[in-house]
Amino acid sequence: MNQEAGGRNRKRKRRNNHRKTETPSKKQTATATAAASSSVKQPPPTCTVAKSLPKPLSFLEKMKAKLAGGHFRMINEKLYTCSGDEALNYFKEDPSLFNMYHTGYQEQMSRWPEQPVNIIMKWLKDHPSSLVVADFGCGDARLAKGVKNKVFSIDLVSKDPSVIACDMSNTPLETSSVDVAVFCLSLMGTNFPNYLQEAHRVLKPSGWLLIAEVKSRFDPNNGGADPDTFCEAVCELGFTSVSKDFSNKMFILLYFKKKPKNKASKGINWPELKPCLYKRR
């Protein structure tokens, strides 16, 4: 009997030991639950999100921006209301004004939904890359950097070895040496007809003249020039009007070709182009 009782006790102990190994303790359960919850990604704390937001401009930064905008408007008005040689001397006296102007210019252009220089680039890419281009008023020479064509970049000041610094009415380019002349928002001086005469000189017969200008300058209802009158004057200079694009809200595009055998007319009645002046904000 004692042997049977001892056997039963040993079996009960084995069963109890087996249950202990299978059933986790409360402490083990809590640890496992905490580990599982820690593996779930938590959203970033509010302070982390707040750091990614841009800081508001300080009072000093706002004042600097206003001063820069004021300088740009002053230089811009000067360029629209003086001749090319006056503008050249203006920048020669203080070359830093050129950088100041183009910084403001780029800021203004960043607000436009479409850039005219990109349309001109596309036009050039749709034509043979062998065409030689003269970019009158090139600015930062963006056109030359965006196409495979040989481009003569011309402006009043040269901040790049590839840019020719000169008055656009008197360039060092040879007569009948280029295939395409471009004026992208650069008919600014009061003597702009002289710029177009120079373009006519350097263009080969049947060469292209591409003009992109601010639309308000060609709005006769608001003091701008009549676009048809302007195109007639360009044709009298020795060009044929090929097409006009008024589809863009900000600028117009005019395409001309130089007449193969035609001398420019004298005494052309050029319309006055309305200056593009920016209001103080």
Side-chain angles (χ1 to χ4, degrees):
M1 292 292 292
N2 289 335
Q3 289 180 351
E4 289 179 2
R8 284 195 297 271
N9 289 335
R10 284 194 294 273
K11 286 181 181 179
R12 288 194 196 99
K13 287 181 181 181
R14 282 198 296 269
R15 282 198 297 270
N16 290 337
N17 290 337
H18 183 66
R19 289 192 187 114
K20 286 181 181 180
T21 56
E22 284 186 341
T23 305
S25 65
K26 291 183 180 180
K27 185 177 181 180
Q28 288 173 329
T29 303
T31 304
T33 303
S37 62
S38 64
S39 64
V40 179
K41 291 185 178 180
Q42 300 295 325
T46 306
C47 59
T48 305
V49 176
K51 286 181 180 179
S52 64
L53 297 175
K55 289 183 178 180
L57 294 176
S58 66
F59 175 76
L60 182 59
E61 288 170 331
K62 288 180 181 178
M63 290 302 297
K64 286 181 178 179
K66 284 186 177 181
L67 286 172
H71 288 148
F72 165 73
R73 287 190 295 272
M74 178 192 70
I75 300 168
N76 183 70
E77 182 172 353
K78 174 74 174 176
L79 294 178
Y80 272 109
T81 56
C82 73
S83 64
D85 58 341
E86 288 175 326
L88 184 62
N89 292 329
Y90 181 65
F91 285 128
K92 278 183 177 179
E93 291 175 4
D94 190 351
S96 67
L97 295 176
F98 188 78
N99 289 338
M100 195 179 297
Y101 169 75
H102 275 283
T103 299
Y105 173 82
Q106 293 297 337
E107 197 276 332
Q108 292 290 333
M109 287 297 100
S110 67
R111 302 174 186 175
W112 287 25
E114 191 170 23
Q115 304 290 320
V117 67
N118 292 336
I119 296 177
I120 294 173
M121 281 184 192
K122 185 180 183 305
W123 186 93
L124 287 170
K125 290 175 182 178
D126 290 339
H127 290 75
S129 60
S130 58
L131 296 179
V132 179
V133 182
D135 184 9
F136 288 80
C138 66
D140 57 0
R142 183 177 171 186
L143 182 63
K145 297 169 184 175
V147 296
K148 295 180 179 179
N149 306 65
K150 177 178 176 58
V151 179
F152 291 105
S153 299
I154 303 165
D155 215 324
L156 294 168
V157 177
S158 174
K159 293 295 182 181
D160 187 298
S162 65
V163 177
I164 302 170
C166 65
D167 181 350
M168 292 194 300
S169 63
N170 185 23
T171 71
L173 302 181
E174 295 182 5
T175 300
S176 301
S177 59
V178 302
D179 301 289
V180 184
V182 174
F183 289 88
C184 186
L185 308 180
S186 55
L187 289 178
M188 298 180 69
T190 54
N191 63 325
F192 73 86
N194 298 130
Y195 306 159
L196 296 173
Q197 289 169 1
E198 179 69 357
H200 183 271
R201 181 187 71 82
V202 303
L203 275 170
K204 297 176 183 177
S206 300
W208 286 91
L209 170 64
L210 275 55
I211 299 175
E213 264 304 333
V214 180
K215 202 167 191 176
S216 62
R217 304 190 76 193
F218 291 90
D219 183 2
N221 296 322
N222 290 298
D226 187 314
D228 292 332
T229 303
F230 176 81
C231 290
E232 287 172 7
V234 175
C235 290
E236 286 185 48
L237 183 60
F239 291 92
T240 300
S241 178
V242 178
S243 65
K244 306 169 189 176
D245 184 355
F246 293 86
S247 62
N248 195 280
K249 185 175 72 172
M250 307 300 292
F251 57 87
I252 67 170
L253 284 159
L254 305 173
Y255 300 82
F256 301 90
K257 288 195 81 170
K258 182 179 177 179
K259 295 177 181 178
K261 296 179 181 179
N262 184 72
K263 291 184 179 180
S265 302
K266 294 182 179 180
I268 300 172
N269 186 21
W270 289 95
E272 183 179 349
L273 294 185
K274 178 182 177 182
C276 180
L277 306 180
Y278 296 94
K279 296 179 181 180
R280 177 177 292 185
R281 295 182 180 275

